[in-house]
Amino acid sequence: MDFNVKKLASDAGIFFTRAIQFTGEKFGQVEKTELDAHFENLLSRADSTKNWTEKIFRQTEVLLQPNPSSRIEEFLYEKLDRTVPSRPNNEELLGHYMQDAAKDFGPGTPYGSTLIKVGDCERRLGSVQREFLQTSAISFLTPLRNFLEGDWRTISKERRLLENRRLDLDSCKARLKKAKLAESKAAAVPDFQETRPRNYVLSASASALWSEEVDKAEHELRVAQTEFDRQAEVTRLLLEGISSTHVNHLRCLHEFVEAQTAYYKQCHLHMQDLQKELDRFPNAFAGNPGHSMASGGSSPLDPEVQAPATGTRKAKVLYDYDAADTSELSLLADELITVYTVPGMDSDWLVGERGNQKGKVPVTYLELLS
């Protein structure tokens, strides 16, 4: 217990001494050992690397996980060394909702069948995103975190030790300077007219004491200089290792770009496939003639479903269709009707006949047979 108290008191004394010395350096009241220009450049480069790596790391986390609550949860699970519970991401959740809605609306309806296709694509996009996030976390985020929590902490620790060694060295220099000044004063020639003989003895004794003090201060300075040089070399080697860190982070950056490229490429392919599938389904606005007429345009049709220029043809109804007004004809899936076109009619529509019933019908709901 006594040892701990003494050590605590000693550490407190050293702390206050260094604090006073550091304050004196800031105000230019005491001398300070300066590091060479190369060493200062290494320190500046290391600080810049740490600051930018931290910013890139934080922003990449935001990019990969925009939800701050989820980031906090992942951080806590990581610190507790536990696996983060698997939850559907936004794309997967949207896909589930769309497919559940299709079941409610009816998978056989145009809207329901389209919801199924789009929902399936969203789920695949969510799966691709999940793979991208995992790859990016391993290949890019983890190396950056390892640098900040590992290498940089080691560098910071050695830099603090170097600063302490420098303060000790400067303190030894100050003590030696003070001892030499006192020794020179003690060795000064006394005034024979005003100085008593007894003072010659006292002056010689003081001179010897200060000579011993100078020797002791010189020894402490040599020890402090050796420790400072050794710590400076250790710190310098760690700082020069920042170049290797840059090379490693460059490789990780290439892997991150490759992961992003693969992710966006797969998303693009999935969306292209979805677009091709939707092109084989009825146009979303086919049941709304007002939209087609107002837009004045027509949707491109596959060659096999183009309306005939003249004459009548048989057509099979692909999907149920409810007439929007009295000018249209309601349809039932799988029934056969007769269709033809009239001059000036929009190419998305044909005239359909079923018995004595007649009305406009959307071409994309039909399979023309002859």
Side-chain angles (χ1 to χ4, degrees):
M1 181 65 180
D2 293 339
F3 175 79
N4 291 337
V5 172
K6 291 179 180 179
K7 185 176 185 302
L8 180 63
S10 176
D11 291 342
I14 293 174
F15 173 78
F16 285 112
T17 300
R18 287 173 174 169
I20 294 172
Q21 184 180 354
F22 189 76
T23 303
E25 291 177 353
K26 289 297 182 181
F27 287 98
Q29 298 173 351
V30 296
E31 294 182 2
K32 175 183 177 182
T33 300
E34 298 292 344
L35 300 170
D36 61 78
H38 176 64
F39 202 101
E40 291 289 352
N41 289 335
L42 290 177
L43 290 174
S44 177
R45 188 163 179 251
D47 289 334
S48 179
T49 299
K50 181 262 181 183
N51 292 335
W52 285 114
T53 300
E54 196 169 44
K55 290 180 180 180
I56 293 172
F57 175 79
R58 299 303 177 198
Q59 192 57 39
T60 304
E61 280 190 321
V62 174
L63 171 67
L64 299 181
Q65 178 50 268
N67 190 334
S69 299
S70 298
R71 291 202 303 274
I72 294 175
E73 181 186 39
E74 292 174 359
F75 174 79
L76 293 176
Y77 273 101
E78 180 182 350
K79 292 303 179 183
L80 296 174
D81 197 20
R82 297 178 59 184
T83 304
V84 181
S86 178
R87 296 187 179 91
N89 54 35
N90 293 331
E91 287 80 0
E92 292 172 331
L93 196 58
L94 176 61
H96 283 298
Y97 286 163
M98 286 184 171
Q99 292 183 334
D100 290 343
K103 295 177 183 178
D104 189 21
F105 298 149
T109 63
Y111 185 36
S113 59
T114 303
L115 279 173
I116 291 177
K117 294 295 183 183
V118 177
D120 181 63
C121 181
E122 292 295 335
R123 293 179 64 177
R124 281 181 283 156
L125 291 176
S127 177
V128 172
Q129 185 192 58
R130 186 183 300 276
E131 182 180 351
F132 165 65
L133 296 182
Q134 293 174 349
T135 303
S136 299
I138 294 173
S139 64
F140 191 61
L141 280 183
T142 299
L144 298 186
R145 183 188 294 110
N146 290 341
F147 168 74
L148 294 172
E149 298 181 356
D151 295 349
W152 182 251
R153 288 184 179 180
T154 301
I155 292 174
S156 299
K157 177 183 176 182
E158 297 301 328
R159 286 177 67 175
R160 288 193 297 269
L161 288 175
L162 177 63
E163 183 67 11
N164 291 337
R165 296 291 181 267
R166 185 193 63 77
L167 291 172
D168 292 342
L169 177 62
D170 290 341
S171 178
C172 289
K173 289 180 179 179
R175 283 198 298 270
L176 178 60
K177 184 177 180 180
K178 181 179 179 181
K180 286 185 176 182
L181 181 61
E183 181 186 30
S184 63
K185 288 183 179 181
V189 179
D191 189 343
F192 289 98
Q193 295 179 356
E194 299 181 2
T195 305
R196 297 178 181 180
R198 181 172 176 272
N199 287 341
Y200 289 112
V201 177
L202 294 176
S203 177
S205 176
S207 178
L209 289 175
W210 281 114
S211 180
E212 292 179 2
E213 188 66 24
V214 169
D215 292 340
K216 180 181 178 181
E218 288 178 343
H219 173 71
E220 291 177 350
L221 177 60
R222 287 193 295 270
V223 173
Q225 184 69 56
T226 301
E227 292 180 351
F228 172 78
D229 293 339
R230 183 186 301 114
Q231 186 60 38
E233 181 64 18
V234 171
T235 308
R236 182 183 64 80
L237 292 175
L238 289 174
L239 293 175
E240 289 177 346
I242 291 293
S243 298
S244 299
T245 299
H246 285 190
V247 173
N248 181 43
H249 288 180
L250 175 61
R251 177 182 57 81
C252 297
L253 184 60
H254 277 279
E255 293 180 359
F256 178 61
V257 172
E258 290 175 0
Q260 276 190 311
T261 303
Y263 166 63
Y264 290 120
K265 180 179 180 180
Q266 292 182 53
C267 289
H268 180 65
L269 292 176
H270 285 315
M271 294 307 298
Q272 279 187 321
D273 292 341
L274 174 63
Q275 188 63 54
K276 291 177 181 178
E277 291 187 31
L278 293 183
D279 287 343
R280 295 195 292 267
F281 277 72
N283 190 304
F285 302 101
N288 187 354
H291 179 275
S292 297
M293 300 303 179
S295 63
S298 60
S299 300
L301 300 177
D302 293 336
E304 61 269 23
V305 295
Q306 286 284 359
T310 57
T312 61
R313 299 178 66 177
K314 289 292 183 180
K316 179 181 178 181
V317 178
L318 299 176
Y319 313 99
D320 292 345
Y321 175 70
D322 295 326
D325 54 42
T326 56
S327 67
E328 298 179 8
L329 178 66
S330 295
L331 303 174
L332 295 175
D334 296 329
E335 70 173 330
L336 295 178
I337 62 173
T338 301
V339 294
Y340 57 91
T341 185
V342 295
M345 177 175 283
D346 193 301
S347 61
D348 288 344
W349 297 83
L350 293 172
V351 176
E353 290 185 355
R354 181 178 55 235
N356 59 355
Q357 295 178 325
K358 181 188 301 185
K360 293 189 300 181
V361 294
V363 174
T364 50
Y365 278 67
L366 307 173
E367 178 185 356
L368 301 179
L369 300 178
S370 61

